[in-house]
Amino acid sequence: MTWFSHAWGWVLELTWAHLWLSLPAILLSVAIAVPVGRLAFRRPGLGGALLSGSSLLYSIPALPLLIIVPAVFGVPLRSSATIIIALTVYGAALMVRTAADAFASVDSHVREAAIAVGHAPRELFWKVDLPLAVPVLVAGLRVVTVSTVGLVTIGALIGVPSLGTLFTDGFQRGIVAEVATGLIATVVLALALDGLCLLAGRALTPWRRAVEGAGA
Amino acid sequence: MIEFCGVGKTYAGGTVAVEDFSYTVQANSLVVLVGSSGSGKTTLLRMVNRMVEPTAGSVLIDGRDVAGLDRVRLRRSIGYVLQAGGLLPHRTIADNVATVPVLNGTRRREARSAVVGLLERVGLDPSCAERYPSQLSGGQQQRVGVARALAADPDILLMDEPFGAVDPIVRRELQDELRRLQRELGKTILLVTHDIDEAFRVGDEVVVLKERGVTAQVGTPADILAHPADAFVRSFVGADRAERRLRTTDVDGRRVLVDDDGRPAGVLVAAEERRTAP
């Protein structure tokens, strides 16, 4: 506790840095996974290859990926960009399958009806497919959020500050409180963002609450 | 007016859904395509708004080949009612009804202001406007489906087994209301069903289909009952069924109609006793 009373300012700073590494990676993951997942759903032939490819990406170990990313994207090794890109690769790979499932979960009868009354393809996506896929998409988003917040800590290994820095620093200096603080702060941050996803999901799907209300 | 000119539909695998069908739906009439599954009735209906493209022949609306029209705009110009309403579960009743006007570019608020009138027209309490489809009964959802189809004031309504998902009492109520709407609005309506009683109840003209869109008989319900064209139609409309064969019998001075099984079906009334149509 004495360690924390001295270092809380630094912990706050690292939490903030952690957040700013996590959020762009999560948002980019969703922005990539949703269209790819929709493509995989629309073109099952291509979809199989896309889903296998994303599983393969997810299986790349973290440390090699942190070396590959700067080489491929031309960003400095010890930069936020490296971490954000690497975590976007993992996040998107993790979410593509859920996104494909999300679009598959939309009742085909509803989609047919929407086409029959005159939705053009683009309107079908924005007004029908996407909103109805939200419940499953949010489930995928929550997994990606928690996973990304956890994975940001590996950035400490290449010297990009985050709550992971408390692990490396704490281990080197043998301060248990520092390691524990890093661990707890990471979990709390993950849970907080997960809670936000849950709330956002509820706000985006008012019709589901109406159904529950009617059933009660 | 909708004209089917020698239309056929053969799927890529070689399955023939419709062989060769020709028929003209006159403007302002309610025509029912009736047949069992495999008769191609839904395929024919869906050719009108290009949900299905015929592999032979063409469909004309007011003399224009639909194949030459923009698919999306064509669909918005035709009211379409599906089984169980086919409503969007994530939109309120008001938004569902306003779907087509909003797609056509009408401001949402403006489109929604017309909703109350449309809901009343199909016999719904406008207070349901802010609810979601799942909060309504099957019959109510079906009415909303009709209101949505009417929202852009189309000349043509296509109805695909519209009353298949509701119980018999509600179905009858909806059938009667469809007749009322047809009288009030004078739309050209093409309705598909497998239920011959429904076809006779609502149709000005009925097209009885055999397999693969082969026409067995075309006529008014009375024509078809009086003179079934062949054994297929005879059996399909149940012309030989006991409840279709009525005779009169005298009960204390009144002529009572009884069917072949002796069950009373109603009383015979003299011309001056008849209720005037509402």
Side-chain angles (χ1 to χ4, degrees):
Chain A
M1 267 298 93
T2 45
W3 175 85
F4 186 75
S5 62
H6 290 297
W8 67 268
W10 188 45
V11 171
L12 217 58
E13 212 173 282
L14 290 175
T15 307
W16 194 244
H18 199 109
L19 189 66
W20 285 110
L21 289 169
S22 308
L23 286 182
I26 293 165
L27 293 178
L28 282 171
S29 299
V30 174
I32 293 168
V34 169
V36 174
R38 159 117 163 155
L39 189 66
F41 163 70
R42 290 284 298 265
R43 306 253 167 82
L46 180 64
L50 283 172
L51 295 181
S52 311
S54 67
S55 299
L56 210 64
L57 279 181
Y58 194 69
S59 71
I60 303 174
L63 279 175
L65 187 62
L66 290 178
I67 309 298
I68 296 169
V69 164
V72 173
F73 291 88
V75 291
L77 174 65
R78 301 179 61 167
S79 68
S80 305
T82 301
I83 299 298
I84 290 171
I85 293 171
L87 295 183
T88 301
V89 169
Y90 282 140
L94 189 59
M95 197 168 168
V96 163
R97 192 173 291 271
T98 319
D101 290 346
F103 290 110
S105 77
V106 177
D107 185 350
S108 60
H109 186 74
V110 169
R111 187 180 285 124
E112 277 274 287
I115 295 171
V117 301
H119 285 78
R122 184 175 296 224
E123 292 155 346
L124 187 69
F125 176 76
W126 289 107
K127 295 182 163 208
V128 182
D129 275 348
L130 191 60
L132 287 174
V134 160
V136 181
L137 285 177
V138 167
L141 171 66
R142 291 177 65 186
V143 174
V144 169
T145 299
V146 173
S147 145
T148 303
V149 170
L151 283 171
V152 163
T153 53
I154 62 166
L157 297 176
I158 57 166
V160 177
S162 71
L163 290 169
T165 308
L166 298 175
F167 302 162
T168 47
D169 191 68
F171 275 125
Q172 274 165 15
R173 295 163 60 195
I175 307 172
V176 177
E178 187 176 353
V179 176
T181 303
L183 191 69
I184 292 166
T186 307
V187 170
V188 168
L189 187 62
L191 290 178
L193 290 182
D194 182 46
L196 283 179
C197 292
L198 188 68
L199 290 178
R202 284 213 189 132
L204 286 171
T205 56
W207 70 92
R208 301 185 90 218
R209 260 169 304 146
V211 180
E212 282 158 24
Chain B
M1 189 169 72
I2 310 167
E3 291 167 85
F4 293 90
C5 306
V7 293
K9 177 71 186 178
T10 306
Y11 285 98
T15 315
V16 179
V18 174
E19 269 172 16
D20 178 18
F21 179 82
S22 293
Y23 177 74
T24 300
V25 182
Q26 295 301 335
N28 310 324
S29 67
L30 200 169
V31 170
V32 180
L33 298 180
V34 61
S36 26
S37 61
S39 64
K41 56 190 189 298
T42 300
T43 307
L44 288 168
L45 183 87
R46 289 158 65 93
M47 283 178 185
V48 178
N49 67 353
R50 293 188 65 192
M51 289 296 284
V52 170
E53 301 286 355
T55 45
S58 52
V59 178
L60 311 182
I61 292 179
D62 297 330
R64 289 204 298 170
D65 190 339
V66 295
L69 304 174
D70 175 72
R71 225 177 285 216
V72 171
R73 236 180 289 162
L74 172 72
R75 287 173 192 153
R76 287 179 196 169
S77 72
I78 295 175
Y80 195 79
V81 183
L82 298 90
Q83 185 163 1
L87 303 176
L88 301 177
H90 60 303
R91 313 298 298 272
T92 61
I93 298 309
D95 283 333
N96 263 290
V97 172
T99 301
V100 180
V102 168
L103 286 175
N104 277 333
T106 308
R107 284 248 210 63
R108 190 157 167 265
R109 184 181 297 178
E110 212 174 297
R112 284 172 58 113
S113 69
V115 165
V116 171
L118 285 160
L119 290 177
E120 280 171 346
R121 180 163 282 296
V122 298
L124 280 172
D125 186 341
S127 69
C128 73
E130 294 313 317
R131 300 170 79 181
Y132 288 96
S134 57
Q135 295 172 289
L136 268 53
S137 71
Q140 288 171 320
Q141 290 186 34
Q142 202 59 68
R143 288 167 194 267
V144 175
V146 175
R148 174 176 68 178
L150 293 172
D153 197 22
D155 295 328
I156 294 174
L157 285 188
L158 302 177
M159 309 184 86
D160 186 3
E161 298 269 4
F163 310 131
V166 295
D167 67 70
I169 295 168
V170 176
R171 189 179 312 155
R172 215 166 148 142
E173 217 174 276
L174 291 170
Q175 287 164 353
D176 291 345
E177 289 209 27
L178 178 62
R179 292 293 332 173
R180 173 181 64 79
L181 277 173
Q182 163 70 353
R183 270 200 310 277
E184 288 175 8
L185 303 173
K187 305 283 182 196
T188 304
I189 303 178
L190 184 59
L191 184 148
V192 153
T193 182
H194 63 271
D195 178 357
I196 187 68
D197 293 312
E198 177 162 286
F200 283 170
R201 205 171 168 77
V202 302
D204 293 323
E205 193 159 74
V206 173
V207 179
V208 182
L209 295 170
K210 287 189 208 181
E211 289 199 331
R212 297 185 294 279
V214 174
T215 307
Q217 188 169 3
V218 177
T220 64
D223 278 344
I224 293 174
L225 265 180
H227 307 290
D230 55 21
F232 173 85
V233 178
R234 207 177 173 76
S235 122
F236 190 80
V237 305
D240 299 323
R241 285 207 315 257
E243 67 263 33
R244 289 260 194 254
R245 300 170 56 81
L246 307 172
R247 61 195 156 77
T248 58
T249 170
D250 224 49
V251 178
D252 299 332
R254 293 215 68 178
R255 318 278 319 262
V256 173
L257 285 161
V258 293
D259 67 17
D260 253 6
D261 291 336
R263 283 181 302 231
V267 290
L268 199 65
V269 294
E272 62 270 20
E273 275 186 85
R274 274 167 62 183
R275 279 188 308 161
T276 43

